[in-house]
Amino acid sequence: MFVTNNSKYEYDKPYKSGWNMLPSLFTKRGNKVLGVGKYTFPFFYFYYLKFKPDVLIVEWVPAGVLPVFFNQLGLIKCPLILNWGDYYTEMMTNYPKEIIRFFENYMVKNADYITTVSRRNEKIAKKFGKRVSYIPHGWFDSDKKSKINLDKLKTKKKNIKVVYLGEQS
């Protein structure tokens, strides 16, 4: 079961990385996946009781807060994994920072396990004493060199400008 802020969770969509690709892979291998989106997540517990998942994956504030609360009360009988992608306190600028910080810390402190694409979030989770896995999102200096040499475009007067759109894995 996957609880997200997305308006409609399309688990048959061909996502290319992260937790977003797992439901698609699970369903292709004959497993059942239930995606609960932002219009239905307030009722996630009814879905949880009916679906009886082996694992519950949550992400984002506010979608993850209610499942984590029910987990803390002992009403969730399977592992709850927080997919902590962004540092929401800094990213969700349309909301009061103090509220987002409270909910984010609450989710981190009370999830059974955490995955993250951020080394910063990994360090924070470890400070809370949480089991956490860092899942790289992007590239590292140790990666193979590309056949495309952008240094040729660089001059003393002009640096290279790169625009990145999309998701990396």
Side-chain angles (χ1 to χ4, degrees):
M1 185 171 177
F2 193 78
V3 180
T4 180
N5 279 352
N6 296 333
S7 57
K8 180 182 177 193
Y9 191 77
E10 302 173 77
Y11 54 85
D12 57 346
K13 194 172 179 181
Y15 291 101
K16 300 212 181 329
S17 68
W19 281 111
N20 294 322
M21 75 176 179
L22 291 178
S24 176
L25 294 173
F26 289 152
T27 55
K28 285 180 183 175
R29 290 185 170 97
N31 297 293
K32 293 180 182 178
V33 176
L34 177 64
V36 179
K38 84 173 170 185
Y39 298 116
T40 54
F41 84 76
F43 310 104
F44 95 93
Y45 193 65
F46 298 109
Y47 292 109
Y48 168 82
L49 292 173
K50 184 176 181 182
F51 191 68
K52 297 181 179 107
D54 296 314
V55 66
L56 178 59
I57 303 165
V58 301
E59 63 176 8
W60 292 51
V61 174
V65 175
L66 197 56
V68 170
F69 177 70
F70 277 67
N71 187 46
Q72 189 181 18
L73 293 176
L75 298 173
I76 303 296
K77 304 298 181 195
C78 66
L80 187 141
I81 300 171
L82 171 61
N83 177 35
W84 193 15
D86 291 320
Y87 184 53
Y88 305 121
T89 302
E90 298 299 324
M91 302 299 294
M92 298 179 75
T93 58
N94 293 338
Y95 304 96
K97 195 178 258 192
E98 295 76 24
I99 293 172
I100 300 302
R101 180 180 293 114
F102 172 80
F103 283 141
E104 184 169 29
N105 287 339
Y106 177 78
M107 288 172 28
V108 171
K109 288 177 184 176
N110 294 293
D112 295 324
Y113 195 82
I114 297 169
T115 62
T116 183
V117 296
S118 163
R119 286 286 189 195
R120 180 183 191 276
N121 289 354
E122 178 188 32
K123 288 177 186 173
I124 293 170
K126 285 181 178 180
K127 284 182 182 177
F128 282 124
K130 302 306 291 186
R131 294 182 348 176
V132 59
S133 289
Y134 169 69
I135 301 172
H137 217 30
W139 63 274
F140 299 94
D141 292 336
S142 61
D143 288 349
K144 293 180 182 177
K145 295 210 178 241
S146 171
K147 292 180 182 178
I148 302 168
N149 186 353
L150 295 177
D151 289 335
K152 293 177 184 176
L153 302 174
K154 192 175 182 179
T155 66
K156 289 183 180 181
K157 295 180 182 178
K158 183 171 86 172
N159 281 327
I160 301 170
K161 292 182 181 177
V162 177
V163 175
Y164 166 74
L165 301 171
E167 187 175 86
Q168 289 182 345
S169 276

